[in-house]
């Protein structure tokens, strides 16, 4: 994709060009929330240039569609109204980078975990809430600033706390790959509860 | 196990505990307390001469008390490191020193002291394991009252060739090989009264394995298993279950209500067989309690140190139950094994490998990108009062209050909670990505229409917002007039955000965050609590009902609680009259004018 040739937009000096994508999430959102109506409603908000519903925003075709819109319409800020940002914020920030935009000029509205799934029997109220959440996200996205990540050095070492079977396996895999491991165990020996077992299922062999 | 001891890339610290963790992903600084072993582990050849002469005898932990050891001991023959250790609480000390005299290599040193050292690492894998359930709580099974009632762990040690009886099963009372053995399942699991409500995952298969071991050694032994459900869900598990049944092991569906001891030390169990609907009595020479798993005892302390989250069962909570099963919500920390929940060896090994790869994925580039969501000081507005530095949980802000040099934020150390910005009375701190304008704009839009119908909730990213997500994943229904505004921490919720919301006609406002002690930003939520308490007093003075501002702690695992709190908030909202809102708007409007 690369940069679409437009200037990076600063802190709202120019008018923003916002794209809004209301994800249906298959039927996860769409069975309760009237996504078309939410998208239509958002289209009327100032600075919103594109507003549409989309089947799966996170999918490859979904992201491609957004990327193409960004290029064609010179969008500089994006609202994705889909699931929890705790799940897909990294996905869409990555997409922003792909489009040559600052990843922090993207905002999500949580229409799935905090709307369609929790108001399943009230489609009208859920749709109304979804409209509010999108409006809130649009207001916020317009005020966001581009931010840059810092790159800092990292210590290529891992501490494994606990020397039972899980800790042993993790320590060995890391160490075999060439990473330094510090394994901390409370008792005088590693082995944990596993070492106390006689035969172990499903192989019926000894544990040590 | 031996590979760990030999591996050039692994430094093993036994008898050691983590006592403090500072820093952040890529650069954690960890303080470890290493208790002294009093035996030089690099010199010790594990010859055992020391233990032969030690006069102090104690129960052997490894054999769960079924045999004894000395004060200088090797936990078990294959122990790693292969070295003896002295338990100084038991040792007679200098007056005795028989062991030191017996040691040819002179590797026993009574003057050895505990080590307290620090290490820097880029990532952490938490594999703190489990603790078996203590069945003494379930008095009906008579463990410790009746000698022939044993735990599954004691049974394991006894049938082990290297165990105290060299693999021979012997009734503790009567000292004879039992002719009949019973197993009781779900001891400490799947119960609302005692132990955990969860399934411990491994006990069914462990018991099935035990029945096969017994049938191999004692083909004529009568074996009965009392169970609720047999959960043989893994690969090859059903085969083992069928083999056990074919060998004549009886599976009785029903958990015994009580156990009584008979004269010869055998036990009589009373059980309602739900297969036949009858009360049955079974006499058995030995009874084995299939113990469930509990989180390891240090779990909570470590969780508080690292600001991690726990499920209601007390195990560590993963970032996502399906898609990030070994990641903690805190970047750079991963889980492996039973620390995250009860699991068997295969699953523990799988998770151990998975956690290792997740750590490698993070570290392989040698550098790490930090989130730019940090605070910044506007020097011209700063009066160098020092408040921000006081509230910062990370000591990331330097300010010279005497020389009146404005505050400076160390962005590498700043974790982005935003407490400083909320506490600064002079508007001198900007919290990137969560600025006053960015947050208030959401409030404005939300309350632009039908404000009186809405419930404004500030939710912290790590606990309360995640708790709301969990309510969603669990399809818990709650009033549709709830609107969330996400902040990274409840500490970010500035007094002014709340006044602004009330001024815009909010009937009620909820501030929600992690439970005290669980804050993702060490203790930033303490400041939230203080702030809200202060605001309640101010509200009273101003003539605004303090109940309209609520503070709730909701964890990432408390979906049910989140939905419940939302219902309560709606109740509260219905009690707020239109006139009351108008009055509040007026009061706050005047307050603004005065400012």
């Amino acid at each position: 994709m690369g940069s679409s040739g437009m200037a990076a937009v600063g802190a709202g000096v120019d008018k923003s060009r916002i794209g809004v994508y209301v994800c249906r999430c298959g039927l996860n959102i769409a069975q309760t929330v009237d996504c078309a109506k939410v998208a239509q409603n958002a289209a009327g908000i100032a600075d919103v240039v594109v507003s549409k519903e989309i089947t799966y925003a996170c999918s490859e075709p979904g992201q491609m569609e957004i990327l193409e819109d960004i290029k064609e319409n010179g969008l500089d800020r994006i609202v994705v109204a889909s699931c929890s940002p705790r799940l897909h914020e990294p996905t869409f920030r990555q997409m922003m980078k792909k489009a040559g935009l600052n990843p922090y000029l993207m905002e999500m509205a949580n229409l799935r975990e905090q709307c369609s799934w929790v108001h399943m029997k009230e489609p009208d109220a859920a749709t109304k809430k979804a409209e509010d959440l999108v409006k809130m996200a649009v207001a916020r996205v317009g005020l966001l600033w581009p931010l840059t990540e810092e790159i800092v050095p990292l210590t290529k070492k891992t501490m494994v706390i606990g020397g039972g079977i899980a800790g042993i396996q993790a320590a060995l895999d890391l160490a075999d790959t060439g990473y330094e491991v510090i394994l901390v165990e409370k008792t005088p020996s590693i082995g944990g509860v596993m070492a106390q077992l006689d035969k172990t299922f499903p192989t019926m062999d000894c544990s040590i | 196990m031996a590979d760990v001891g030999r591996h050039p890339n692994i430094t093993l610290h036994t008898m050691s505990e983590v006592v403090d963790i500072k820093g952040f992903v890529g650069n954690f600084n960890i303080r470890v307390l290493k208790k002294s072993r009093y035996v030089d582990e690099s010199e010790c050849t594990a010859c055992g001469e020391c233990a032969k002469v030690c006069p102090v005898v104690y129960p052997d932990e490894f054999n769960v008390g079924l045999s004894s050891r000395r004060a200088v001991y090797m936990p078990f023959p294959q122990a790693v490191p292969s070295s003896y250790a002295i338990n100084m609480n038991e040792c007679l000390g200098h007056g005795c020193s028989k062991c030191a005299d017996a040691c040819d290599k002179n590797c026993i040193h009574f003057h050895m002291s505990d080590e307290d050292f620090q290490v820097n690492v880029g990532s952490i894998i938490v594999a703190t394991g489990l603790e078996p359930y203590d069945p003494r709580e379930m008095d009906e099974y008579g463990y410790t009252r009746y000698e022939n009632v044993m735990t599954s762990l004691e049974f394991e040690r006894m049938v082990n060739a290297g165990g105290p009886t060299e693999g021979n099963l012997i009734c503790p009372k009567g000292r004879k090989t039992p002719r009949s053995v019973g197993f009781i399942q779900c001891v400490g699991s799947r119960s609302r009264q005692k132990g955990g409500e969860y399934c411990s995952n491994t006990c069914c298969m462990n018991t099935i394995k035990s029945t096969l071991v017994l049938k191999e050694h004692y083909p004529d032994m009568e074996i009965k298993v009392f169970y609720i459900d047999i959960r043989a869900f893994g690969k090859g598990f059903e085969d083992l279950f069928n083999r056990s049944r074919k060998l004549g092991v009886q599976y009785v569906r029903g958990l015994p209500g009580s156990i009584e001891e008979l004269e010869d030390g055998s036990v009589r169990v009373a059980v309602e067989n739900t297969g036949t609907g009858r009360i049955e009595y079974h006499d058995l020479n030995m009874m084995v309690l299939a113990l469930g798993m509990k989180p390891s005892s240090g779990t909570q302390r470590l969780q508080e140190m690292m600001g991690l989250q726990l499920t209601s069962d007390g195990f560590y909570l993963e970032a996502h139950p399906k898609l990030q099963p070994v990641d903690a919500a805190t970047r750079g920390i991963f889980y492996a094994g039973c620390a995250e929940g009860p699991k068997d060896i295969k699953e523990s090994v799988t998770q151990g490998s998975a956690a290792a790869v997740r750590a490698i994925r993070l570290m392989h580039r040698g550098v790490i990108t930090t989130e730019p969501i940090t605070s910044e000081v506007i020097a011209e507005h700063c009066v160098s009062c020092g408040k921000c530095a006081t509230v910062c949980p990370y000591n990331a802000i330097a300010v010279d209050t005497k020389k009146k040099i404005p505050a400076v934020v160390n962005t590498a150390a700043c974790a982005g909670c935003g407490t400083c910005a909320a506490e600064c009375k002079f508007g001198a701190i900007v919290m990137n990505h969560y600025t006053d304008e960015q947050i208030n704009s959401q409030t404005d839009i939300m309350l632009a229409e039908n404000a009186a119908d809405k419930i404004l909730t500030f939710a912290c990213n790590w606990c309360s917002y995640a708790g709301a997500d969990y309510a969603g994943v669990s399809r818990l229904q709650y009033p549709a007039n709830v609107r969330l505004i996400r902040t990274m921490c409840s500490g970010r919720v500035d007094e002014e955000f709340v006044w602004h919301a009330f001024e815009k006609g909010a009937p009620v406002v909820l501030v929600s965050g992690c439970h005290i002690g669980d804050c993702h930003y060490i203790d930033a939520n303490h400041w939230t609590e203080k702030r809200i308490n202060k605001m309640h007093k101010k509200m009273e003075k101003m003539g605004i009902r303090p109940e309209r501002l609520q503070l709730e702690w909701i964890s990432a695992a408390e979906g049910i609680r989140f939905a419940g709190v939302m219902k309560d908030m709606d109740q509260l909202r219905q009690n707020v009259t239109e006139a009351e809102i108008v009055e509040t708007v007026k009061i706050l409007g005047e307050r603004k004018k005065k400012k």
Side-chain angles (χ1 to χ4, degrees), chain B residues 490-535:
Chain B
S490 63
R492 174 67 190 109
V493 183
D494 198 313
E495 209 180 300
E496 292 303 325
F497 298 168
V498 179
W499 298 138
H500 184 81
F502 281 130
E503 202 197 324
K504 294 288 170 182
V508 288
V509 174
L510 171 68
V511 178
S512 60
C514 308
H515 287 270
I516 292 289
D518 288 358
C519 183
H520 189 79
Y521 301 97
I522 306 176
D523 59 355
N525 60 356
H526 277 283
W527 296 100
T528 317
E529 192 178 30
K530 274 191 183 170
R531 196 180 306 144
I532 301 292
N533 286 342
K534 242 193 271 170
M535 290 187 74

Side-chain angles (χ1 to χ4, degrees), chain A residues 84 86 89 104 120 129 132 140 150 152-153 157-159 161 173 176 181 183 185 188 196 198-199, chain B residues 7 9 11 13 15-16 37 122-123 125 127 156-157 209 353 368 370 372 433 454 461 469 477 486:
Chain A
S84 174
R86 288 175 53 85
E89 200 169 52
Y104 292 87
M120 294 178 109
K129 177 173 178 179
D132 263 14
R140 180 171 153 79
E150 253 182 273
V152 296
K157 275 189 203 172
T158 302
M159 174 170 281
I161 307 173
D173 281 357
D176 288 345
V181 178
L183 178 57
E185 164 60 41
Q196 287 178 290
D198 178 39
K199 307 278 187 295
Chain B
H7 209 296
N9 288 341
T11 313
H13 295 291
M15 306 181 77
S16 301
R37 187 178 266 270
S123 55
I125 294 175
E156 285 291 337
R157 293 317 303 153
K209 173 211 73 178
S353 289
I368 194 155
T370 60
H433 217 56
K454 290 174 187 169
N461 180 60
D469 278 353
Q477 308 296 301
R486 181 167 71 132

Side-chain angles (χ1 to χ4, degrees), chain A residues 28 83-87 89 93 103-110 112-122 125-126 128-130 132-133 135-137 139-140 143-145 147-204 207-208, chain B residues 1 3-4 7 9-17 26-27 30 32 37 61-62 73 75-76 78-81 119-128 156-157 159-160 202 205-206 209 212 237 240 297 320 323 336-337 344-345 348-349 352-353 356 360 362-364 366-370 372 411 430 432-435 437-438 441-442 445-446 449 454 461-462 465-466 468-469 472 475-480 482-486:
Chain A
N28 278 304
C83 52
S84 174
R86 288 175 53 85
L87 193 66
E89 200 169 52
R93 280 192 181 156
Y104 292 87
L105 298 180
M106 187 280 304
E107 179 65 15
M108 292 182 76
N110 191 343
R112 194 178 72 175
E113 279 83 347
Q114 294 175 15
C115 203
S116 69
W117 278 350
V118 288
H119 313 305
M120 294 178 109
K121 290 177 195 128
E122 306 167 82
K128 202 88 201 94
K129 177 173 178 179
D132 263 14
L133 295 180
K135 272 195 269 179
M136 287 161 69
R140 180 171 153 79
L143 292 168
L144 292 177
W145 306 339
L147 298 172
T148 18
E149 288 154 356
E150 253 182 273
I151 292 181
V152 296
L154 164 151
T155 316
K156 275 193 165 189
K157 275 189 203 172
T158 302
M159 174 170 281
V160 177
I161 307 173
I165 179 64
I168 290 174
Q169 183 68 37
L172 285 174
D173 281 357
L174 278 157
D176 288 345
T177 317
Y179 288 85
E180 241 184 272
V181 178
I182 295 137
L183 178 57
V184 175
E185 164 60 41
K186 193 158 60 171
T187 70
S189 171
I190 56 168
V193 177
M194 173 211 58
Q196 287 178 290
L197 304 178
D198 178 39
K199 307 278 187 295
T200 56
F201 64 85
T203 48
M204 306 299 288
S207 64
I208 297 182
Chain B
M1 270 173 65
D3 292 346
V4 172
H7 209 296
N9 288 341
I10 301 178
T11 313
L12 174 60
H13 295 291
T14 48
M15 306 181 77
S16 301
E17 279 187 77
N27 296 284
I30 306 178
V32 177
R37 187 178 266 270
E61 295 88 354
F62 187 73
Y73 68 106
F76 53 99
Q78 305 92 327
V80 176
V119 284
N120 291 316
V121 296
S123 55
I124 301 172
I125 294 175
V126 179
T128 45
E156 285 291 337
R157 293 317 303 153
V159 294
N160 190 304
T202 59
M205 288 313 296
N206 193 57
K209 173 211 73 178
L212 292 174
F237 290 7
L240 292 181
S297 59
H320 191 279
L323 303 174
D344 63 20
I345 294 175
S348 296
V349 168
S353 289
I360 292 168
L362 179 84
M363 296 190 297
H364 77 113
V367 289
I368 194 155
T369 46
T370 60
T411 49
V430 175
N432 281 328
H433 217 56
Y434 293 92
T435 66
E437 297 74 28
Q438 287 163 0
S441 72
Q442 290 172 274
I445 294 287
M446 175 197 310
E449 281 171 41
K454 290 174 187 169
N461 180 60
W462 305 100
Y465 194 91
D469 278 353
R475 310 294 196 274
L476 301 169
Q477 308 296 301
Y478 57 81
V482 174
R483 306 281 185 273
L484 260 63
I485 293 180
R486 181 167 71 132

Side-chain angles (χ1 to χ4, degrees), chain A residues 58-75:
Chain A
C58 60
S59 70
E60 193 56 32
Q63 291 192 45
M64 287 306 286
E65 190 176 338
I66 301 175
L67 287 169
E68 271 163 35
D69 282 357
I70 292 174
K71 207 173 171 185
E72 263 174 45
N73 301 288
L75 304 178

Side-chain angles (χ1 to χ4, degrees), chain B residues 190-262:
Chain B
R190 301 184 67 192
S191 164
R192 289 200 182 159
Q193 277 92 39
K194 287 168 187 170
E197 280 189 37
Y198 51 88
C199 166
S200 287
N201 244 304
T202 59
C203 341
C204 283
M205 288 313 296
N206 193 57
T207 292
I208 290 169
K209 173 211 73 178
S210 298
T211 63
L212 292 174
V213 168
L214 286 180
K215 278 290 178 190
E216 192 183 316
H217 289 292
Y218 314 100
D220 299 328
M221 187 180 270
E222 185 188 8
I223 304 172
K224 290 176 180 172
V225 177
F226 303 94
Y227 71 101
I228 314 176
D229 300 293
I230 290 294
R231 298 190 163 172
F233 53 86
K235 191 175 179 180
F237 290 7
E238 191 71 16
D239 278 352
L240 292 181
F241 179 41
N242 287 335
R243 237 162 79 194
S244 168
R245 281 196 297 187
K246 270 186 200 143
L247 287 169
V249 175
Q250 286 180 55
Y251 286 82
V252 181
R253 194 164 197 272
L255 292 184
S258 68
I259 292 184
E260 53 177 326
E261 194 177 39
L262 305 175

Side-chain angles (χ1 to χ4, degrees), chain B residues 11-61:
Chain B
T11 313
L12 174 60
H13 295 291
T14 48
M15 306 181 77
S16 301
E17 279 187 77
V18 170
V19 287
D20 196 21
I21 298 178
K22 286 204 175 73
F24 44 90
V25 57
N27 296 284
F28 292 105
N29 177 265
I30 306 178
R31 225 183 97 207
V32 177
L33 183 68
K34 185 171 187 167
K35 299 227 177 70
S36 175
R37 187 178 266 270
Y38 302 100
V39 178
D40 184 341
E41 65 180 68
S42 58
E43 289 292 317
C44 177
T45 56
C47 68
E49 292 301 322
C50 52
K52 278 187 198 154
V53 296
C54 179
V56 183
V57 180
Y58 266 87
D60 181 343
E61 295 88 354

